Amino acid sequence: MHVRQLLGAYVLGALTPDEDRRVAAHLRSCAGCRAAYLEVAETPSMLALLLEEDLAEDPPDE
């Protein structure tokens, strides 16, 4: 599997330690994957801003 396919799991901390080391090593040497990583790197902090109501199928009326 190419590293780019693992970036989402990488930023969420969902990889095995071996996969995590492999992705980190690849990012040090590949500018293209590093750029792709930077596009998704803030995802966890953005997800943390969501409230449970934001994820409801029928959000409450304001």
Side-chain angles (χ1 to χ4, degrees):
M1 179 177 297
H2 191 274
V3 165
R4 242 177 241 233
Q5 294 171 305
L6 299 173
L7 290 178
Y10 180 72
V11 300
L12 294 174
L15 296 178
T16 66
D18 185 54
E19 289 172 321
D20 193 82
R21 282 189 295 278
R22 188 169 69 96
V23 170
H26 181 78
L27 291 176
R28 286 191 292 275
S29 65
C30 179
C33 287
R34 229 180 1 261
Y37 163 77
L38 291 174
E39 290 179 12
V40 297
E42 293 185 21
T43 301
S45 58
M46 298 300 285
L47 289 173
L49 296 174
L50 292 173
L51 302 173
E52 188 174 333
E53 298 83 44
D54 296 329
L55 303 175
E57 287 186 31
D58 296 318
D61 294 330
E62 292 188 26

